[in-house]
Amino acid sequence: MKLSISKSKNTVIYYVAESYRKPNGTSSTRTVKKIGSEAELREKLGDGVDIKAWCQEYVRKLTADAKAHKPVPVELSLIPDVPYEKDVIRSFNVGYLYLQRILYQENIGQMVKEIRSRHSFQFNLEKIICDLVFARILDPSSKKSSYDYCHSLLEAPDYELHDVYRALDIIHKEMDFIQSFLYQQSVKCSQRDTSVLFYDCTNFFFEIDDEDELRRVGFSKEHRTTPIVQFGLFTDRKGIPLGFNIFHGAQSEQISLTPLEQKIIDDFNLPDSRLIVCTDAGLASFDNKEFNSKTHLIKKSLNCITTDYITIRPLKKADTATTEWALNRGRSLALEPIREEENPEKVYTEIERTGWRTEGSSRVFSLDDIDEDDPENYNRIFYKEKYVIITPSGNSKNKGKTLEERLIVTYSIKYKHFMQHKRLLTLNKASRMIAAKNSKKIDLKVSDNVRKFIKTSTVDSKGKAITDSSNRYSLDEAAIIEDSRYDGFYAVSTNISPEVMPVKEIITVNKGRWEIEESFMIMKTEMRSRPVYLQNSERIKAHFTTCFMALQVLRILEQKLNEKMGRIIPIQQLISTLRKMQITSIDKYYTGAYTRTDITDGLYDLMGMRFDCELLTKGKIETAKKISKKSFKKFIKPQKYCYF
């Protein structure tokens, strides 16, 4: 602040003024408050006071108080009960500035610069990409609605709506480059752990009747019969998105893994010489396992990456011999001692083959010897393992080959109780459906998980045909007993030897798969990635590219905030906080218009941008904008990319 003096023939008036920068970049000065005229101050202070010196000291004290965050008197030119101007936006979201900080830490400006070198366009692609990411997190909707919403941000769009659709065409052409560039730059602003990669697929349905090259009818996870688009996603061990692919709905998800993984190996410049790919059972084909059981030469490089795999092995779909071995509880010598006619060596050999072990003990257990009411056993994992030979099936391109893999089966009392509780809920639902006596509802509206416990009978116990639909359905006791056989059991297969990774680590790695499931949940719920208000296949792919970028930015911000605060912040709370962070303009100032919380304090500590204040000067707001656009001075030059 500084002293401003206005002189006229009759009086001299003293003001407190401050310098500021106009939106066009030019500097100017504005009045903060009026101190008073010389006559007024003379009457107040007396004749012996140097008025100018006193005013200078007054301004100096105000400046010092402002720097020390002490209350400073300000003047607001407000008139009560007078409406403000029409069509003037007075409330602005500032939560996007924290997202913008992550984007610029990933050098999005440099990314757009490289894209521009390959395309000719006049619109502001950098701003459009940023706004699409912000809108997808803060107010997900159609591209037109997103364009309208972005006018409520502090930095309004400087482009037209038609530019957004043209930008989508560019984004589609640069999908592969965007993914590899963002990964290589993200290592500077977040801790990426690519020693383990998780891969899974989901699909998004479209409410259309006719198929096209991308939107095709296929297996829908929501059991819909409308065309779908499939989305495959790789995340690192911390759950941060790494790369994705889009493929049509009729394609098997199993063949989607290796092309994207090969692209990541060739283009992403991973720091690891060995990585583990972890998938669910639906992606555990022989070809995928074979691909992840060897060393890969990186394209245009002398370096290599060795890949291993960990996949779920569903016991209910295993062959009879494997299922019997997996569910064998092991012989309890306490309950079934060795008989005289038995060969002890053969008995102990069989106990070793079918018995169970646990971390921290050299004993071989029978599950019948475990006290399941003992709290110490509740969280223990019991396991057995063996090597098996697998062969390709169907249309595999590796016919004639075989693989040896390690099959690990675990048993957990905690998991057993979970499965029992889950089945009880399903049985309650099945019972309600049967009691409803609604055959159509049972036939058409019940999911497979419920349907498998409902038995349909055409004749009664006396052999007479059932004509009344209310007596046709009952709980299938045989199906319930068969399902309960698997309570507490879980199996995975891997090519990693016990010397490289013991069972406990295998289990820990596999548990991390929940991160990618949560990412899909965020995309479908919080970010509302569908419905997609686009018809062109290329623009649909571009839409999912911006969804991927938004998910990556959000995950990085979540990780950094959790590390800063020293605890886990639910990502839904983080999103809700960012959406509510509004400031309102008052005269030449702003004021925070949201609730200050631990999360807002954590964001301030993390980024150095604070908006939960009673009054904010325009200078503070401009400073926050500059902070949010700071890139790392040391730019990582990406390697050359190959395009697919």
Side-chain angles (χ1 to χ4, degrees):
M1 296 183 207
K2 59 184 179 180
L3 180 64
S4 174
I5 303 174
S6 175
K7 296 182 179 180
S8 66
K9 291 182 178 180
N10 300 320
T11 186
V12 176
I13 302 176
Y14 298 90
Y15 298 92
V16 179
E18 66 178 359
S19 299
Y20 74 102
R21 193 166 295 278
K22 295 180 179 179
N24 62 8
T26 61
S27 60
S28 184
T29 301
R30 61 189 169 201
T31 298
V32 174
K33 74 180 303 268
K34 177 183 176 182
I35 302 176
S37 67
E38 187 161 354
E40 291 170 341
L41 293 172
R42 180 71 62 194
E43 182 179 351
K44 175 182 176 181
L45 301 173
D47 294 333
V49 176
D50 185 335
I51 299 299
K52 183 177 180 181
W54 184 90
C55 290
Q56 289 173 335
E57 177 61 21
Y58 178 77
V59 172
R60 187 200 64 75
K61 187 175 184 304
L62 287 180
T63 304
D65 287 346
K67 290 181 178 180
H69 302 292
K70 293 182 179 179
V72 175
V74 297
E75 287 187 356
L76 297 176
S77 300
L78 302 177
I79 304 175
D81 304 325
V82 175
Y84 41 75
E85 296 178 69
K86 289 183 179 179
D87 302 321
V88 174
I89 299 175
R90 296 166 58 87
S91 183
F92 305 91
N93 177 277
V94 290
Y96 83 95
L97 292 173
Y98 299 99
L99 304 171
Q100 185 162 271
R101 183 76 180 102
I102 302 297
L103 276 174
Y104 277 86
Q105 285 181 336
E106 291 186 311
N107 281 308
I108 188 172
Q110 181 65 28
M111 183 187 82
V112 172
K113 183 178 179 181
E114 294 198 25
I115 292 175
R116 184 178 290 276
S117 68
R118 295 188 286 270
H119 302 274
S120 177
F121 52 84
Q122 301 300 319
F123 48 80
N124 189 344
L125 180 62
E126 180 180 323
K127 177 64 173 168
I128 292 175
I129 291 177
C130 288
D131 283 354
L132 288 174
V133 169
F134 304 151
R136 183 53 46 191
I137 296 171
L138 301 176
D139 189 45
S141 189
S142 67
K143 297 297 176 282
K144 181 182 183 305
S145 295
S146 296
Y147 172 75
D148 293 338
Y149 168 76
C150 288
H151 283 82
S152 69
L153 304 180
L154 271 175
E155 299 161 290
D158 57 357
Y159 51 86
E160 301 298 330
L161 178 60
H162 60 81
D163 294 327
V164 175
Y165 296 102
R166 293 172 182 171
L168 291 175
D169 296 331
I170 303 295
I171 292 171
H172 165 255
K173 293 175 182 177
E174 297 289 342
M175 280 175 54
D176 296 321
F177 167 72
I178 289 172
Q179 294 176 63
S180 52
F181 181 94
L182 290 179
Y183 164 72
Q184 292 182 49
Q185 300 304 313
S186 69
V187 297
K188 300 177 304 181
C189 63
S190 64
Q191 296 180 2
R192 304 299 299 260
D193 183 354
T194 54
S195 61
V196 177
L197 302 185
F198 298 101
Y199 182 74
D200 203 353
C201 296
T202 190
N203 49 56
F204 297 87
F205 69 90
F206 287 74
E207 294 171 341
I208 57 173
D209 296 325
D210 298 326
E211 299 177 285
D212 56 30
E213 60 175 332
L214 180 62
R215 296 173 291 181
R216 303 271 293 277
V217 175
F219 174 74
S220 170
K221 296 183 184 293
E222 296 163 319
H223 305 287
R224 295 178 181 269
T225 57
T226 53
I228 59 174
V229 166
Q230 304 211 62
F231 181 92
L233 178 67
F234 265 110
T235 68
D236 65 17
R237 193 168 189 174
K238 293 180 178 293
I240 300 176
L242 190 75
F244 77 98
N245 57 4
I246 296 289
F247 50 101
H248 65 75
Q251 177 180 315
S252 168
E253 64 180 25
Q254 289 189 350
I255 63 176
S256 69
L257 185 148
T258 54
L260 179 57
E261 186 179 344
Q262 186 66 62
K263 186 196 309 180
I264 288 173
I265 290 172
D266 289 336
D267 292 354
F268 280 46
N269 195 24
L270 300 177
D272 309 282
S273 60
R274 194 177 196 100
L275 62 87
I276 299 168
V277 176
C278 188
T279 69
D280 66 6
L283 291 152
S285 67
F286 183 92
D287 290 348
N288 288 342
K289 290 181 176 181
E290 191 276 337
F291 182 84
N292 284 306
S293 300
K294 59 187 180 183
T295 299
H296 308 268
L297 180 66
I298 300 174
K299 186 179 286 188
K300 298 181 181 179
S301 171
L302 298 177
N303 298 325
C304 297
I305 289 182
T306 301
T307 54
D308 299 301
Y309 67 85
I310 298 174
T311 66
I312 296 174
R313 180 77 178 269
L315 292 176
K316 292 181 181 179
K317 296 182 180 180
D319 59 84
T320 303
T322 299
T323 302
E324 288 180 355
W325 169 81
L327 300 183
N328 191 313
R329 300 179 68 83
R331 179 171 175 175
S332 167
L333 293 179
L335 299 176
E336 190 181 352
I338 300 174
R339 299 185 297 274
E340 290 184 4
E341 67 272 17
E342 288 184 301
N343 184 332
E345 289 187 7
K346 289 185 177 180
V347 172
Y348 287 117
T349 299
E350 182 64 14
I351 288 175
E352 283 284 337
R353 189 183 76 85
T354 61
W356 298 80
R357 299 181 182 274
T358 189
E359 291 289 333
S361 174
S362 58
R363 286 181 54 198
V364 178
F365 293 84
S366 165
L367 296 184
D368 293 328
D369 291 336
I370 299 170
D371 182 3
E372 297 200 356
D373 294 324
D374 185 348
E376 291 187 5
N377 290 329
Y378 185 74
N379 290 311
R380 279 184 177 171
I381 302 294
F382 299 90
Y383 68 90
K384 63 170 70 172
E385 58 181 320
K386 68 175 182 177
Y387 280 93
V388 295
I389 302 297
I390 60 172
T391 57
S393 60
N395 298 321
S396 171
K397 60 183 179 182
N398 289 291
K399 288 184 177 180
K401 291 185 178 181
T402 60
L403 282 176
E404 184 182 55
E405 69 178 10
R406 181 178 162 207
L407 177 60
I408 302 169
V409 180
T410 65
Y411 177 79
S412 164
I413 300 170
K414 183 178 181 179
Y415 186 51
K416 175 184 177 180
H417 291 175
F418 167 76
M419 295 179 73
Q420 290 174 337
H421 177 69
K422 186 176 179 180
R423 183 171 55 253
L424 179 61
L425 296 177
T426 304
L427 291 175
N428 288 339
K429 184 174 182 180
S431 298
R432 290 195 300 270
M433 299 296 292
I434 293 170
K437 303 177 183 180
N438 187 340
S439 60
K440 182 177 180 181
K441 194 169 186 180
I442 292 176
D443 288 338
L444 301 178
K445 300 296 184 181
V446 179
S447 67
D448 293 339
N449 288 336
V450 178
R451 191 192 302 269
K452 68 182 180 182
F453 293 125
I454 298 177
K455 180 172 64 175
T456 305
S457 302
T458 56
V459 295
D460 59 20
S461 58
K462 297 180 180 180
K464 295 182 179 180
I466 297 176
T467 57
D468 184 1
S469 63
S470 64
N471 298 318
R472 187 178 300 167
Y473 302 97
S474 61
L475 290 178
D476 192 335
E477 298 297 335
I480 296 172
I481 293 172
E482 174 62 22
D483 191 71
S484 65
R485 290 179 62 209
Y486 299 89
D487 288 352
F489 295 94
Y490 191 86
V492 297
S493 60
T494 181
N495 66 325
I496 307 173
S497 67
E499 294 77 22
V500 174
M501 185 171 286
V503 170
K504 185 177 181 180
E505 289 187 42
I506 296 285
I507 295 170
T508 300
V509 168
N510 187 63
K511 282 182 177 179
R513 288 183 54 257
W514 71 269
E515 295 271 14
I516 197 167
E517 296 292 344
E518 185 183 47
S519 291
F520 287 151
M521 181 273 294
I522 293 168
M523 287 185 65
K524 290 188 174 185
T525 56
E526 299 294 335
M527 292 168 49
R528 297 205 295 274
S529 297
R530 71 146 309 276
V532 182
Y533 302 96
L534 297 164
Q535 301 300 318
N536 180 287
S537 295
E538 287 73 20
R539 290 180 177 178
I540 291 174
K541 292 179 180 179
H543 162 76
F544 284 112
T545 303
T546 60
C547 292
F548 167 82
M549 293 179 66
L551 181 63
Q552 186 189 75
V553 167
L554 188 61
R555 282 298 205 183
I556 291 175
L557 179 59
E558 175 197 28
Q559 179 198 85
K560 295 168 75 70
L561 183 63
N562 288 343
E563 291 171 355
K564 189 70 176 178
M565 298 184 68
R567 61 187 178 93
I568 302 299
I569 303 298
I571 198 163
Q572 292 81 4
Q573 288 186 20
L574 174 58
I575 295 172
S576 176
T577 298
L578 295 174
R579 289 174 177 173
K580 293 175 181 176
M581 294 184 75
Q582 298 285 127
I583 61 173
T584 303
S585 63
I586 301 178
D587 195 26
K588 52 184 177 290
Y589 297 96
Y590 297 90
T591 182
Y594 60 95
T595 303
R596 179 186 172 190
T597 64
D598 288 342
I599 297 179
T600 62
D601 284 352
L603 289 169
Y604 166 67
D605 292 338
L606 179 66
M607 300 290 192
M609 295 181 289
R610 166 148 260 160
F611 306 101
D612 47 4
C613 304
E614 291 185 358
L615 279 183
L616 292 157
T617 64
K618 291 187 177 180
K620 289 289 186 182
I621 296 299
E622 293 302 318
T623 299
K625 291 180 186 177
K626 291 178 182 178
I627 291 174
S628 72
K629 292 185 178 180
K630 280 187 177 179
S631 300
F632 278 96
K633 293 182 180 179
K634 185 178 180 182
F635 169 66
I636 296 179
K637 181 66 175 176
Q639 64 183 61
K640 293 186 180 296
Y641 306 93
C642 66
Y643 298 94
F644 292 79

